Amino acid sequence: MTRLSFSSFTLLSAILLLSACQKDSSTAPAEPETPQQKVYTNVDTRLWSYFDRFEEEARSRGVAVDLASRGITGGISDLEGEHVAGQCNYNFRTPNHITVDQEFWDRSSDRFKEFIIFHELGHCYLFRDHREDSHANGRCVSLMRSGLGNCWDAYNNLNREAYIDELFRPEDF
């Protein structure tokens, strides 16, 4: 009988000891989640964060955008033409393909790259045309301007939200 009690005591002690050493998941601090980078097939990886931003800005305005499912592609290479920073191709060989000029890319700030990529995605994804109108002070109403009009850009931290609002809701402006 003593032997059985000793064995039972030993078994019970081992179970308690093992359960006391296990991590309690209910009180352990949660590991911070690292966001999974979305993969954009046939898009230069340097453009991915801008594609992500475009989708996020649309989502924050209630517009569903999925660039990958639409097959939008993109790259960075030399573009012909003076003052051409980017373009959206609609041709049958490379439909909905964004190209950003290499020289522009090399010398531009993050905000200006965003401006050009959002403009080109405005063409390729949102099917927006150029919009040349301006505010009373001469500032362009839209980042969808062609650059051939008489308005001036003010895409900066102060005006960014208004420009992106207009991009996704042009009927409100």
Side-chain angles (χ1 to χ4, degrees), residues 41-169:
T41 306
N42 295 320
V43 176
D44 188 306
T45 56
R46 294 173 289 178
L47 301 177
W48 286 12
S49 65
Y50 300 97
F51 277 42
D52 282 341
R53 281 187 222 170
F54 186 85
E55 289 182 351
E56 177 55 36
E57 292 295 344
R59 192 172 25 260
S60 73
R61 289 161 175 80
V63 178
V65 169
D66 187 345
L67 299 170
S69 72
R70 181 80 66 83
I72 306 290
T73 60
I76 301 170
S77 62
D78 293 327
L79 290 176
E80 290 187 29
E82 239 182 281
H83 309 294
V84 177
Q87 66 183 24
C88 169
N89 292 330
Y90 295 104
N91 66 39
F92 71 95
R93 286 189 343 220
T94 53
N96 297 324
H97 180 79
I98 304 253
T99 305
V100 178
D101 182 63
Q102 182 69 57
E103 184 180 334
F104 164 82
W105 183 265
D106 291 341
R107 64 177 162 73
S108 295
S109 68
D110 176 71
R111 188 64 74 214
F112 202 35
K113 290 173 185 177
E114 177 185 87
F115 174 88
I116 295 300
I117 293 166
F118 280 26
H119 174 98
E120 298 308 332
L121 289 172
H123 289 309
C124 280
Y125 189 88
L126 300 172
F127 304 110
R128 294 277 313 270
D129 288 326
H130 287 137
R131 183 174 180 185
E132 302 300 340
D133 48 335
S134 62
H135 294 285
N137 66 359
R139 182 173 53 90
C140 299
V141 168
S142 176
L143 64 80
M144 293 307 299
R145 56 68 175 160
S146 69
L148 301 176
N150 293 324
C151 65
W152 53 275
D153 294 317
Y155 192 76
N156 56 43
N157 290 336
L158 298 174
N159 298 316
R160 179 180 181 271
E161 291 299 313
Y163 276 114
I164 295 175
D165 286 345
E166 188 280 331
L167 177 64
F168 290 109
R169 293 191 321 256

Side-chain angles (χ1 to χ4, degrees), residues 1-58:
M1 186 84 170
T2 310
R3 185 167 192 165
L4 182 60
S5 296
F6 181 72
S7 296
S8 297
F9 177 74
T10 305
L11 180 61
L12 182 60
S13 296
I15 290 171
L16 287 173
L17 183 63
L18 287 174
S19 66
C21 293
Q22 291 180 348
K23 191 180 213 178
D24 182 5
S25 61
S26 63
T27 60
E31 292 292 322
E33 286 189 29
T34 54
Q36 183 69 23
Q37 174 73 52
K38 186 171 181 178
V39 174
Y40 298 97
T41 306
N42 295 320
V43 176
D44 188 306
T45 56
R46 294 173 289 178
L47 301 177
W48 286 12
S49 65
Y50 300 97
F51 277 42
D52 282 341
R53 281 187 222 170
F54 186 85
E55 289 182 351
E56 177 55 36
E57 292 295 344

